[in-house]
Short mmCIF file of all heavy atoms in Angstrom, two decimals:
data_model
loop_
_atom_site.label_atom_id
_atom_site.label_comp_id
_atom_site.label_asym_id
_atom_site.label_seq_id
_atom_site.Cartn_x
_atom_site.Cartn_y
_atom_site.Cartn_z
N GLU A 1 -8.27 5.03 15.64
CA GLU A 1 -8.05 5.70 14.36
C GLU A 1 -6.56 5.96 14.13
O GLU A 1 -5.88 6.49 15.01
CB GLU A 1 -8.81 7.02 14.31
CG GLU A 1 -10.32 6.85 14.20
CD GLU A 1 -10.72 6.12 12.93
OE1 GLU A 1 -10.16 6.43 11.87
OE2 GLU A 1 -11.60 5.23 13.02
N PRO A 2 -6.05 5.62 12.95
CA PRO A 2 -4.64 5.90 12.64
C PRO A 2 -4.42 7.38 12.36
O PRO A 2 -5.35 8.10 11.97
CB PRO A 2 -4.40 5.07 11.38
CG PRO A 2 -5.75 4.99 10.72
CD PRO A 2 -6.74 4.94 11.84
N THR A 3 -3.20 7.81 12.55
CA THR A 3 -2.84 9.19 12.21
C THR A 3 -2.75 9.33 10.70
O THR A 3 -2.74 8.34 9.94
CB THR A 3 -1.49 9.57 12.83
OG1 THR A 3 -0.46 8.76 12.23
CG2 THR A 3 -1.49 9.36 14.35
N GLU A 4 -2.63 10.57 10.25
CA GLU A 4 -2.49 10.82 8.82
C GLU A 4 -1.23 10.15 8.28
O GLU A 4 -1.24 9.59 7.18
CB GLU A 4 -2.44 12.33 8.57
CG GLU A 4 -2.36 12.70 7.10
CD GLU A 4 -2.38 14.20 6.87
OE1 GLU A 4 -2.82 14.94 7.79
OE2 GLU A 4 -1.94 14.65 5.79
N GLU A 5 -0.15 10.21 9.05
CA GLU A 5 1.11 9.57 8.60
C GLU A 5 0.95 8.06 8.51
O GLU A 5 1.44 7.43 7.56
CB GLU A 5 2.26 9.93 9.55
CG GLU A 5 3.59 9.34 9.10
CD GLU A 5 4.72 9.60 10.09
OE1 GLU A 5 4.42 9.87 11.28
OE2 GLU A 5 5.89 9.50 9.67
N MET A 6 0.28 7.47 9.47
CA MET A 6 0.05 6.02 9.44
C MET A 6 -0.75 5.63 8.21
O MET A 6 -0.43 4.64 7.54
CB MET A 6 -0.65 5.58 10.74
CG MET A 6 0.23 5.68 11.98
SD MET A 6 -0.71 5.59 13.53
CE MET A 6 -1.20 3.86 13.55
N ARG A 7 -1.78 6.39 7.90
CA ARG A 7 -2.57 6.10 6.70
C ARG A 7 -1.73 6.24 5.44
O ARG A 7 -1.84 5.43 4.51
CB ARG A 7 -3.78 7.05 6.63
CG ARG A 7 -4.89 6.72 7.60
CD ARG A 7 -6.12 7.59 7.32
NE ARG A 7 -7.19 7.31 8.25
CZ ARG A 7 -8.08 6.33 8.11
NH1 ARG A 7 -8.00 5.54 7.04
NH2 ARG A 7 -9.02 6.14 9.00
N LYS A 8 -0.92 7.28 5.40
CA LYS A 8 -0.07 7.52 4.23
C LYS A 8 0.86 6.35 3.98
O LYS A 8 0.96 5.83 2.86
CB LYS A 8 0.73 8.80 4.42
CG LYS A 8 1.72 9.09 3.30
CD LYS A 8 2.56 10.32 3.61
CE LYS A 8 3.62 10.56 2.53
NZ LYS A 8 4.46 11.72 2.85
N VAL A 9 1.54 5.90 5.01
CA VAL A 9 2.49 4.78 4.88
C VAL A 9 1.75 3.51 4.50
O VAL A 9 2.20 2.74 3.64
CB VAL A 9 3.30 4.60 6.17
CG1 VAL A 9 4.09 3.29 6.15
CG2 VAL A 9 4.24 5.78 6.37
N TYR A 10 0.62 3.27 5.13
CA TYR A 10 -0.16 2.07 4.81
C TYR A 10 -0.54 2.07 3.33
O TYR A 10 -0.41 1.05 2.63
CB TYR A 10 -1.43 2.01 5.67
CG TYR A 10 -2.16 0.69 5.58
CD1 TYR A 10 -1.99 -0.29 6.55
CD2 TYR A 10 -3.01 0.41 4.51
CE1 TYR A 10 -2.65 -1.51 6.46
CE2 TYR A 10 -3.67 -0.80 4.41
CZ TYR A 10 -3.48 -1.76 5.39
OH TYR A 10 -4.13 -2.96 5.28
N ASP A 11 -0.99 3.20 2.83
CA ASP A 11 -1.41 3.29 1.43
C ASP A 11 -0.24 3.07 0.47
O ASP A 11 -0.42 2.47 -0.60
CB ASP A 11 -2.06 4.65 1.16
CG ASP A 11 -3.44 4.78 1.80
OD1 ASP A 11 -4.02 3.73 2.17
OD2 ASP A 11 -3.93 5.91 1.94
N ILE A 12 0.94 3.54 0.83
CA ILE A 12 2.12 3.33 -0.02
C ILE A 12 2.44 1.84 -0.10
O ILE A 12 2.70 1.30 -1.18
CB ILE A 12 3.33 4.13 0.52
CG1 ILE A 12 3.09 5.63 0.37
CG2 ILE A 12 4.61 3.72 -0.20
CD1 ILE A 12 4.09 6.48 1.14
N VAL A 13 2.42 1.17 1.05
CA VAL A 13 2.71 -0.27 1.07
C VAL A 13 1.67 -1.03 0.26
O VAL A 13 2.00 -1.92 -0.53
CB VAL A 13 2.76 -0.80 2.52
CG1 VAL A 13 2.90 -2.32 2.54
CG2 VAL A 13 3.93 -0.16 3.28
N LEU A 14 0.41 -0.67 0.41
CA LEU A 14 -0.65 -1.36 -0.32
C LEU A 14 -0.52 -1.12 -1.83
O LEU A 14 -0.71 -2.04 -2.63
CB LEU A 14 -2.01 -0.89 0.17
CG LEU A 14 -3.23 -1.54 -0.49
CD1 LEU A 14 -3.18 -3.07 -0.35
CD2 LEU A 14 -4.53 -1.00 0.11
N THR A 15 -0.18 0.11 -2.22
CA THR A 15 0.02 0.41 -3.63
C THR A 15 1.17 -0.41 -4.21
O THR A 15 1.07 -0.96 -5.32
CB THR A 15 0.30 1.91 -3.82
OG1 THR A 15 -0.82 2.67 -3.36
CG2 THR A 15 0.56 2.25 -5.28
N ALA A 16 2.26 -0.51 -3.45
CA ALA A 16 3.42 -1.29 -3.91
C ALA A 16 3.06 -2.76 -4.04
O ALA A 16 3.44 -3.43 -5.02
CB ALA A 16 4.58 -1.11 -2.93
N GLN A 17 2.33 -3.28 -3.07
CA GLN A 17 1.96 -4.69 -3.14
C GLN A 17 1.01 -4.96 -4.29
O GLN A 17 1.14 -5.95 -5.02
CB GLN A 17 1.32 -5.14 -1.83
CG GLN A 17 1.27 -6.65 -1.71
CD GLN A 17 0.04 -7.17 -0.99
OE1 GLN A 17 -1.03 -6.57 -1.05
NE2 GLN A 17 0.19 -8.30 -0.32
N THR A 18 0.03 -4.10 -4.49
CA THR A 18 -0.93 -4.27 -5.57
C THR A 18 -0.24 -4.28 -6.92
O THR A 18 -0.53 -5.13 -7.79
CB THR A 18 -1.98 -3.14 -5.53
OG1 THR A 18 -2.67 -3.18 -4.28
CG2 THR A 18 -2.99 -3.29 -6.66
N ALA A 19 0.71 -3.38 -7.13
CA ALA A 19 1.44 -3.32 -8.39
C ALA A 19 2.24 -4.59 -8.62
O ALA A 19 2.30 -5.10 -9.75
CB ALA A 19 2.36 -2.10 -8.40
N ALA A 20 2.87 -5.09 -7.58
CA ALA A 20 3.67 -6.32 -7.72
C ALA A 20 2.79 -7.51 -8.04
O ALA A 20 3.13 -8.33 -8.91
CB ALA A 20 4.48 -6.57 -6.44
N ILE A 21 1.65 -7.62 -7.37
CA ILE A 21 0.75 -8.74 -7.64
C ILE A 21 0.22 -8.67 -9.07
O ILE A 21 0.12 -9.69 -9.76
CB ILE A 21 -0.41 -8.77 -6.62
CG1 ILE A 21 0.13 -9.16 -5.24
CG2 ILE A 21 -1.50 -9.74 -7.05
CD1 ILE A 21 -0.89 -9.07 -4.12
N GLU A 22 -0.08 -7.48 -9.54
CA GLU A 22 -0.57 -7.33 -10.91
C GLU A 22 0.48 -7.72 -11.94
O GLU A 22 0.14 -8.11 -13.07
CB GLU A 22 -1.01 -5.88 -11.14
CG GLU A 22 -2.30 -5.52 -10.41
CD GLU A 22 -2.69 -4.06 -10.55
OE1 GLU A 22 -1.84 -3.28 -11.07
OE2 GLU A 22 -3.80 -3.70 -10.15
N SER A 23 1.76 -7.65 -11.57
CA SER A 23 2.85 -7.99 -12.49
C SER A 23 3.38 -9.40 -12.30
O SER A 23 4.22 -9.85 -13.09
CB SER A 23 4.01 -7.00 -12.30
OG SER A 23 3.60 -5.68 -12.57
N ALA A 24 2.94 -10.09 -11.27
CA ALA A 24 3.47 -11.42 -10.95
C ALA A 24 2.94 -12.44 -11.94
O ALA A 24 1.73 -12.62 -12.08
CB ALA A 24 3.07 -11.81 -9.52
N LYS A 25 3.85 -13.10 -12.62
CA LYS A 25 3.48 -14.14 -13.60
C LYS A 25 4.72 -14.93 -13.94
O LYS A 25 5.86 -14.52 -13.66
CB LYS A 25 2.90 -13.51 -14.86
CG LYS A 25 3.85 -12.59 -15.58
CD LYS A 25 3.19 -11.96 -16.80
CE LYS A 25 4.15 -11.00 -17.50
NZ LYS A 25 3.51 -10.37 -18.70
N ALA A 26 4.52 -16.07 -14.54
CA ALA A 26 5.65 -16.88 -15.02
C ALA A 26 6.41 -16.09 -16.07
O ALA A 26 5.82 -15.40 -16.91
CB ALA A 26 5.13 -18.19 -15.59
N GLY A 27 7.74 -16.18 -16.00
CA GLY A 27 8.58 -15.52 -16.99
C GLY A 27 9.22 -14.23 -16.51
O GLY A 27 10.16 -13.74 -17.14
#
């Protein structure tokens, strides 16, 4: 089981990646 801090950091990275993928497009 990850610590609370590990979960927090993981979620931040996942949120950042999700936002970038949602914005990725030609142009």
Side-chain angles (χ1 to χ4, degrees):
E1 289 299 317
T3 65
E4 183 178 340
E5 182 184 21
M6 291 165 71
R7 286 188 181 276
K8 176 185 176 182
V9 169
Y10 191 98
D11 288 344
I12 292 168
V13 173
L14 181 57
T15 299
Q17 195 215 31
T18 300
I21 290 174
E22 289 176 350
S23 300
K25 61 182 178 180

